[in-house]
Amino acid sequence: NFSGKIPYEQLFERFTVGLRPGGLIMCHPGKVDAELRSRDSLTDQREVELAYFLSDEYPALLLRKSLCLGRFATFATLARQVL
């Protein structure tokens, strides 16, 4: 639900519930310009995500949940090995 009714930090924490080792959470943070706005309806959400990932709350959540960042390329390689 990206309506803005639920603060993104709470929404993101929900994404982590039940996340198994090797789990993946997709997100698309970014700065919005006119070109992106003409191509994507979730532009405001991108800036909300970026602000959260740049905040002190995000690394605190990772620490509290014992999560770490990874590269998608690594995830994709591991997924191919399992399949």
Side-chain angles (χ1 to χ4, degrees), residues 30-81:
K31 298 249 184 212
V32 177
D33 60 14
E35 183 176 349
L36 181 59
R37 198 169 294 283
S38 73
R39 297 173 184 234
D40 188 348
S41 61
L42 287 175
T43 53
D44 294 335
Q45 184 60 35
R46 289 177 184 265
E47 292 197 348
V48 169
E49 291 178 14
L50 180 61
Y52 173 66
F53 295 134
L54 294 174
S55 76
D56 292 336
E57 294 173 37
Y58 177 60
L61 172 77
L62 295 179
L63 185 63
R64 191 171 67 251
K65 297 276 193 153
S66 299
L67 298 172
C68 64
L69 296 177
R71 297 184 63 80
F72 181 76
T74 303
F75 177 82
T77 299
L78 292 173
R80 281 193 297 273
Q81 291 172 1

